[in-house]
Amino acid sequence: IGLRLEIALQLAYVYKDQNNLEALQDVLWDTCYPFFGERDALSLSVNEIYWLSRCLLVLAQYSSDKDVAHQIYTWMVDAQLPNASLVQHYLED
């Protein structure tokens, strides 16, 4: 899972460099979506949680819909993923 998340993130950055934000969003959605049903990420290893958090941050950052970004950030805080404290500041603003 960790390797799949890391590869998806690297591929997303390639799409970003090509200004293909739709492909960036598609690859990250397809990779991260299965984890949205889990309220906590306790079943994942530390490495997997790290890569999931990174993927979600990039997905939210490049989302064209502010509501979707807000939902991703809220899920990250609820799931207590790394960087949740940074995301919390966004949600408060």
Side-chain angles (χ1 to χ4, degrees):
I1 293 172
L3 184 58
R4 186 172 15 142
L5 291 164
E6 182 180 359
I7 290 169
L9 183 62
Q10 296 302 322
L11 185 56
Y13 282 128
V14 168
Y15 288 136
K16 177 186 158 284
D17 290 344
Q18 295 173 347
N19 291 321
N20 189 348
L21 296 183
E22 184 177 327
L24 176 149
Q25 291 171 358
D26 286 345
V27 73
L28 292 177
W29 269 119
D30 291 346
T31 305
C32 296
Y33 186 77
F35 300 103
F36 283 124
E38 298 179 25
R39 293 299 292 169
D40 60 6
L42 295 177
S43 62
L44 300 176
S45 72
V46 172
N47 186 46
E48 293 164 347
I49 290 170
Y50 170 80
W51 288 111
L52 177 60
S53 180
R54 297 265 322 264
C55 287
L56 291 171
L57 283 172
V58 171
L59 180 59
Q61 181 181 9
Y62 290 100
S63 177
S64 55
D65 185 345
K66 295 276 187 191
D67 291 333
V68 170
H70 188 270
Q71 289 175 333
I72 292 168
Y73 287 145
T74 300
W75 185 83
M76 290 178 71
V77 170
D78 290 347
Q80 299 176 353
L81 293 179
N83 300 319
S85 60
L86 297 173
V87 171
Q88 185 66 39
H89 293 294
Y90 171 83
L91 292 173
E92 291 170 355
D93 288 342

